Amino acid sequence: MKRRKLLLGTTGLLTALAGCNTITGNNKDTDSPNNTTETTPTNSADISVDISTSSQPGQLPPIWRNHSIEDFQAQFQVETSGNVESVNVSNEKVQIGPDSSQWNDNTVTVQPGQMKKGEQEFTATASSGSAEAQDTAPAVKSTPNNYKVDVVPQRNEELRNQISQNSLEDNYLEKRGGFITSDPVIDNYNSHEQLEFNKFGIDLAAYEWRHDNDYTDLAEAQPTEVKNFVDSIGTDTGNPEIEAIKNGEQGISKYPNASGRRDGGSFQLDEFQNAETVGEALDWVHPYLFNWQIIRTDEGPVSTEDALYAPALERAIEQNTNQGLEVHAWDVETLGHGTGLIYGKNADGSEELRFMETVATPVTATADDQQLHPLIEDSGYLDPENDGFQEYWHPLRFGWEKDEDTSSWGFEEKKRSAVSAFGGMSNSLHAENNPVPGASDTVAPTTEYVVDFTEKLRNFNQNDIKFETLYNQSKVLEKMVMDEDTNHVIYGTTENPQYAVVEDDSLIEDVWEDRNGEYDDFNQFLRDNPEYSMSMDDVDTSLEGEEMDDFSQQVLAGA
């Protein structure tokens, strides 16, 4: 199979004789007025190159299983004549020479990852000194429009540079695994490395900066509520008002050492610094935050500032305690009331997940419990007997057998709220008009996946799943949401997360609305609906027209 021949001269335009793609090293004018007399080569032998397609790649499968990569390679036959000094085969993505393992005698093999989607040309180029000859041959890469995604580790140098320039923490990346190459989001599905079209790269360690820079940004934007609060801990500020907050003389939230209705207690730095669990640290710093907000700001703690309080509490604990506590806090909006979730890794290595309240007197509070940061299972938002359960629908109730229809939201709105809740793990702050998990029109998780993820958070303190497992899946979700040019479906479970690309925009809405789980087995959907842009019959037909050696389509150098 052949296409037109592209001929390049050395000192001017050449017209090739029909049936010949010979190039000479000299192109001086002759006595013929039409310049059609063949010239005599000078200082260079005549050279020629011919390339033809010997094997077209097969249709790529929507799901890679036990396939052979050889079935999806293109092969070309390359012949040269004359005193050829160098030769290669190339397209827009790759250049292959005789020293490559892909060049065997006269056969050149091209991997699917070295081809673009659809029809394309490969060019064979031969040269000798300043003389050059070219010929082209066609190939077609038939790629499904709906296919399973292979998530692969990929370094994000832009994020890594941001971290090196802005992180407040030494060895930030090293503490987070350096460069993560193994995780359920990476390991659960693997396709051949030469496919390329179905790869989705992510730098899991560096992507943590998408969350951790929330504090850096807010510390600069709102220093009174964030940076000044954090820096006041463990410091004699010399400010009477701040010291009065620490001493319990101002504010309404009670410290753990309060001894009655009129005694609010005082912030005990030693107790806070030596706390062995995140819950114990929060017992001291959370009331301090609320009292700070009441006295040091104009409005006091309000639920709409949940994205402000989460990084402030997170940084306050990690910067000012001595037992190696790790904290990850993010905001979660209930219906009509902002809250948050706080993950903690304690001194003994155990993990816990707590609610984060955003007002000093939450509706879920009882006579025995302020409910500022209860363990998930102890929160009034998940207790049908608590007033807070009836007043505010919380997204962690999605798919729960104890859920009651206490809100005006329908199925899709609740599902989107749940996705927003775990999507916020990886990035709470978004630039205006940026897409966000849960509100995206290009990424839709299946109902089974959302129910499972929500259950893992709701029962986090009773199950064996690691927070990092959930967090990394949130990173993939958030990055996919940022890619608004591609439609993604997330399916499976948190133990076996799976991802797909789909072409049809309406399918994304169908998955969001799927209350009966019709799309939960999305692998079956992909097998049934690969949706190739070109069938193999189309490919064969398109190439029939390329068989002709039509010199009327020759292109001359500079034309």
Side-chain angles (χ1 to χ4, degrees):
M1 301 175 184
K2 292 185 62 179
R3 261 193 166 169
R4 60 174 172 77
K5 296 180 177 177
L6 180 62
L7 309 180
L8 304 178
T10 58
T11 61
L13 300 181
L14 283 178
T15 301
L17 298 176
C20 175
N21 63 340
T22 300
I23 302 281
T24 68
N26 184 13
N27 191 35
K28 296 180 180 179
D29 291 338
T30 69
D31 294 334
S32 171
N34 295 320
N35 195 21
T36 57
T37 302
E38 187 173 6
T39 60
T40 302
T42 303
N43 301 324
S44 176
D46 294 347
I47 61 171
S48 68
V49 64
D50 184 273
I51 182 172
S52 61
T53 308
S54 57
S55 177
Q56 285 287 347
Q59 283 185 329
L60 287 159
I63 302 176
W64 186 267
R65 292 190 181 278
N66 297 318
H67 297 89
S68 172
I69 193 64
E70 287 78 11
D71 294 337
F72 310 101
Q73 297 169 340
Q75 285 193 335
F76 302 92
Q77 295 298 311
V78 180
E79 303 284 348
T80 63
S81 65
N83 185 28
V84 173
E85 296 176 352
S86 66
V87 62
N88 65 71
V89 171
S90 65
N91 68 350
E92 298 174 6
K93 302 185 68 173
V94 69
Q95 178 174 296
I96 302 169
D99 57 344
S100 168
S101 60
Q102 295 175 235
W103 193 301
N104 185 14
D105 293 330
N106 294 326
T107 300
V108 178
T109 300
V110 180
Q111 299 290 355
Q114 297 170 328
M115 302 175 67
K116 66 180 184 179
K117 182 177 180 179
E119 297 182 69
Q120 59 212 281
E121 280 188 345
F122 281 82
T123 301
T125 303
S127 62
S128 178
S130 59
E132 187 175 88
Q134 290 186 328
D135 190 19
T136 62
V140 176
K141 177 180 176 180
S142 183
T143 304
N145 295 324
N146 302 328
Y147 55 87
K148 192 168 184 176
V149 169
D150 183 3
V151 179
V152 296
Q154 182 181 67
R155 294 177 69 89
N156 188 320
E157 297 301 338
E158 180 180 356
L159 274 179
R160 287 175 174 263
N161 288 335
Q162 289 181 24
I163 292 167
S164 65
Q165 295 171 16
N166 300 297
S167 176
L168 302 175
E169 184 179 342
D170 293 334
N171 302 317
Y172 180 95
L173 288 168
E174 289 75 8
K175 292 178 181 178
R176 288 157 178 79
F179 181 61
I180 298 171
T181 58
S182 180
D183 184 86
V185 297
I186 295 172
D187 300 336
N188 282 343
Y189 174 65
N190 295 291
S191 61
H192 199 282
E193 61 182 4
Q194 293 292 350
L195 289 188
E196 187 192 51
F197 82 98
N198 66 346
K199 301 296 190 288
F200 181 89
I202 190 166
D203 191 336
L204 290 173
Y207 215 80
E208 295 204 16
W209 185 246
R210 296 276 297 172
H211 167 85
D212 291 348
N213 71 347
D214 287 355
Y215 174 79
T216 305
D217 292 342
L218 288 170
E220 180 177 350
Q222 296 181 255
T224 298
E225 293 94 329
V226 180
K227 186 178 189 303
N228 295 354
F229 162 74
V230 172
D231 291 347
S232 72
I233 299 173
T235 302
D236 184 354
T237 63
N239 185 310
E241 189 174 67
I242 294 176
E243 299 310 309
I245 296 171
K246 294 178 181 179
N247 295 332
E249 298 168 3
Q250 295 200 45
I252 62 173
S253 291
K254 295 182 179 297
Y255 295 104
N257 56 357
S259 60
R261 253 178 132 177
R262 297 182 178 277
D263 177 20
S266 60
F267 182 82
Q268 297 297 304
L269 180 62
D270 288 345
E271 295 283 342
F272 169 68
Q273 288 180 327
N274 294 306
E276 296 191 352
T277 69
V278 170
E280 292 172 0
L282 284 167
D283 287 343
W284 296 102
V285 76
H286 206 168
Y288 180 46
L289 172 67
F290 284 146
N291 290 334
W292 177 282
Q293 289 289 326
I294 291 169
I295 304 303
R296 300 289 293 171
T297 69
D298 296 333
E299 297 182 356
V302 291
S303 67
T304 55
E305 294 190 341
D306 44 0
L308 190 73
Y309 304 150
L313 288 172
E314 178 179 314
R315 185 64 185 174
I317 295 174
E318 291 193 338
Q319 178 174 301
N320 295 296
T321 57
N322 302 325
Q323 300 300 318
L325 303 179
E326 297 180 16
V327 187
H328 188 98
W330 72 99
D331 61 294
V332 176
E333 184 178 356
T334 64
L335 181 53
H337 179 63
T339 62
L341 293 172
I342 298 181
Y343 158 79
K345 187 172 184 180
N346 301 319
D348 62 0
S350 61
E351 298 183 313
E352 61 182 38
L353 188 64
R354 295 175 175 269
F355 272 97
M356 179 194 77
E357 190 52 74
T358 55
V359 294
T361 54
V363 67
T364 54
T366 66
D368 301 323
D369 187 354
Q370 292 186 80
Q371 286 274 302
L372 298 187
H373 44 266
L375 292 167
I376 289 289
E377 62 270 22
D378 296 333
S379 172
Y381 293 112
L382 300 180
D383 179 4
E385 303 301 320
N386 191 287
D387 291 342
F389 183 93
Q390 301 299 323
E391 187 167 345
Y392 298 113
W393 185 86
H394 198 282
L396 290 194
R397 286 161 56 176
F398 182 77
W400 188 30
E401 67 275 7
K402 294 183 180 180
D403 186 27
E404 297 177 10
D405 192 9
T406 60
S407 78
S408 59
W409 276 353
F411 172 83
E412 183 181 345
E413 290 171 306
K414 289 182 176 179
K415 182 178 177 181
R416 286 181 177 272
S417 178
V419 173
S420 176
F422 58 74
M425 295 167 68
S426 53
N427 189 14
S428 294
L429 298 180
H430 291 266
E432 189 175 359
N433 298 325
N434 268 10
V436 295
S440 171
D441 293 325
T442 60
V443 178
T446 61
T447 299
E448 177 185 34
Y449 182 81
V450 179
V451 169
D452 182 69
F453 205 126
T454 305
E455 186 274 332
K456 291 299 192 299
L457 289 175
R458 188 173 58 248
N459 297 317
F460 183 84
N461 297 322
Q462 285 78 46
N463 59 42
D464 295 329
I465 198 163
K466 294 296 184 182
F467 180 78
E468 193 71 14
T469 299
L470 301 178
Y471 185 20
N472 284 341
Q473 292 177 48
S474 177
K475 297 173 191 174
V476 175
L477 164 65
E478 208 269 344
K479 187 177 181 187
M480 286 183 169
V481 166
M482 296 297 291
D483 178 12
E484 294 185 277
D485 294 329
T486 308
N487 292 326
H488 288 97
V489 172
I490 301 175
Y491 60 109
T493 64
T494 52
E495 288 89 354
N496 183 27
Q498 300 173 68
Y499 306 89
V501 164
V502 297
E503 182 181 44
D504 189 357
D505 295 345
S506 66
L507 183 60
I508 296 298
E509 185 58 34
D510 290 343
V511 173
W512 276 118
E513 296 173 351
D514 179 24
R515 67 168 60 234
N516 297 319
E518 295 178 12
Y519 291 100
D520 287 348
D521 185 2
F522 209 76
N523 280 338
Q524 187 61 51
F525 174 87
L526 294 175
R527 286 191 289 267
D528 294 342
N529 303 275
E531 302 295 337
Y532 292 92
S533 297
M534 297 180 68
S535 69
M536 289 314 294
D537 290 339
D538 294 331
V539 171
D540 292 340
T541 301
S542 71
L543 292 176
E544 285 176 4
E546 309 297 350
E547 302 265 358
M548 51 192 295
D549 207 0
D550 186 359
F551 283 94
S552 67
Q553 298 187 44
Q554 290 180 358
V555 178
L556 303 182

